[in-house]
Amino acid sequence: MLKFLIIFSILGLIVCPPVQPENKQDNGHKTVNETLENDPLLSLEYNKYLKEIVNVLETDSEFKKKIENASIEDIKSGRIAEHLSLVDPKIRTKLDEIKRMEIERLRRVIQRKAAMSNLKSHEIEHLLPKHVDHNNIETFEVHDLEKLIKQATFDLEEVDKLRREEFKEHEIEKEYERRKKIQQADAETRKKLEEQHKRSLEMRKNHERVNHPGSKDQLEEVWEEEDKLDGGDFDPVTFFKLHDIDGNNYWDEFEVEALFNIELDKIYNKTDPEFDPAERFEEMNRMREHVFGEIDKNKDRLVSLDEFVESTKSREFKQNDEWKGVDDEQQYSEDEFREYSQAHIKEEHFMSTPVNDMHLEQAHRQEDTQQHQPPPQHHQGPPQQHHQPPSQQHPGQQNQNIQAQHP
């Protein structure tokens, strides 16, 4: 079972939350189930397909044994797919059906995108998905599993980079809206808003000292304040097992992130009128990235008991350099802010023009009509490749592109 936990970690059950999580009161540890709502797999357009394939494969005892005995490199490289021939024929039939459903989903996605954006066949050729084998649209074969694992591994390794970019956009948008609100306010309200913003900045700047994530001082603070144990009795093995929520002798990224609540509360005060849960969430992710960079030596996106115990013997573990958080560094340049502002002003002007409202309404009606049309039947034989490609863009990016392409 352990290797299936690893393959799930590689294929997506790792952290990549939405930029703006719900503002929930959180006092204490987050359990694995409580953090599953931030499943990074949701950032992949083929998340349902991926999960269904892995879930079905897990039901086959022979393939499961191969997974248990495979190395992390064999899984990440896709070589484990060579053992698909061992899978029971009935299970293979289920895999075939899942693939056919995915092919149909991709066809509809591209059909809608092409209709909305006036794309020609040669313009969408390069958008052919890399997570399926287009040369066979009827059955799920070795090449399908290999491509799926490789693509998911690559995409999810890019998740943190994408998250940082989305956070930067979030910060730019928030500042733009703040300045716009002040600009549109009367003199008295403007003064109150500026004073409130100044107080919020001072509150965040003068927060309690933040321990270095993963350091001895930081973990001992958790040991004392959350685990209610004597600081002088800190024991790495006991600490690891206390925070191994599912008891599998590995810390996943959810379990590591749960260690940072005390430090995060020092920086982010929920009574602050400008408290932003997205900033707290980004801070948590950066702490998690830092700790994994120091402890996860084999880069399997899990921290084993041995890796953790070994890290506590290092010189760095006893060092406690103060953590520099999100507020301590500029998230965007003035040029980036200026570019966003100019584009936003143009978009607001465009959307406020009646003729453009009419064009947008017509486009939406056209899309709704296409969505309710029954899909065409599959034909036997090799696929028409230019009918299969999906959009590999993030859903939010698709919407932006669609809006930008209206006349």
Side-chain angles (χ1 to χ4, degrees), residues 25 75 110 119 132 164 208 237 262 265 284-285 300 307 313 325 355 365 395:
Q25 296 297 320
I75 294 174
I110 285 304
L119 295 180
V132 293
R164 283 178 176 260
E208 184 181 348
V237 175
I262 294 175
D265 287 341
M284 181 184 69
N285 274 279
D300 63 355
E307 284 175 323
K313 300 174 183 178
V355 66
R365 282 202 302 268

Side-chain angles (χ1 to χ4, degrees), residues 167-182:
F167 177 71
K168 180 170 71 174
E169 292 175 7
H170 167 74
E171 290 291 279
I172 293 175
E173 180 179 6
K174 186 173 69 173
E175 178 62 13
Y176 174 82
E177 294 297 333
R178 187 189 72 82
R179 295 187 191 184
K180 179 181 175 182
K181 185 176 181 180
I182 290 175

Side-chain angles (χ1 to χ4, degrees), residues 22-34:
E22 293 182 10
N23 184 4
K24 296 180 180 179
Q25 296 297 320
D26 183 4
N27 299 314
H29 291 305
K30 285 185 177 182
T31 67
V32 172
N33 286 337
E34 288 171 333

